[in-house]
Amino acid sequence: MADIMNLLGICRKAGKLTLGMDEVKGTVHSGKAYIVLVTKDLAERSKSEISRVCEEHGTPIYEIPESMYDVGAALGKVYGIMSVTDAGFAKATVKRLTS
């Protein structure tokens, strides 16, 4: 799934990727998040918390097959929760995750 990590790297460089629980919750609350992504090894408590916020605001949430450390290697910092704040990047990410 290096394809997903490459896309998220481009998304981050474009300033359209938000990282971390508090920041992602902020984008969901403000309606700026098109999708939320969580890593496969994110703690259940954190998954539950962000899932609840996404459900309240109708924001789709997807689990990516990478670990937090894979994200860290690709993006420079270890994160388990991300949001995509651009419609085009969100559509491309979902397409890669579901195909």
Side-chain angles (χ1 to χ4, degrees):
M1 278 282 163
D3 197 31
I4 290 288
M5 296 286 63
N6 290 337
L7 180 61
L8 293 179
I10 294 167
C11 187
R12 183 172 188 205
K13 287 177 185 170
K16 301 298 181 182
L17 185 68
T18 306
L19 303 163
M21 176 68 87
D22 293 336
E23 290 79 4
V24 169
K25 283 168 68 174
T27 63
V28 172
H29 284 300
S30 68
K32 293 180 182 176
Y34 285 89
I35 60 170
V36 170
L37 304 170
V38 297
T39 58
K40 66 181 180 181
D41 59 344
L42 184 66
E44 286 302 317
R45 184 174 175 189
S46 295
K47 277 184 191 175
S48 175
E49 182 178 344
I50 197 63
S51 293
R52 187 178 65 255
V53 171
C54 288
E55 187 176 319
E56 288 172 4
H57 293 278
T59 305
I61 185 169
Y62 296 90
E63 183 175 303
I64 61 173
E66 282 77 17
S67 70
M68 287 188 269
Y69 298 103
D70 295 332
V71 171
L75 303 179
K77 280 203 165 188
V78 176
Y79 288 101
I81 302 173
M82 300 156 276
S83 65
V84 178
T85 59
D86 177 84
F89 281 122
K91 184 177 178 181
T93 301
V94 170
K95 184 177 179 181
R96 283 169 176 78
L97 286 171
T98 57
S99 60

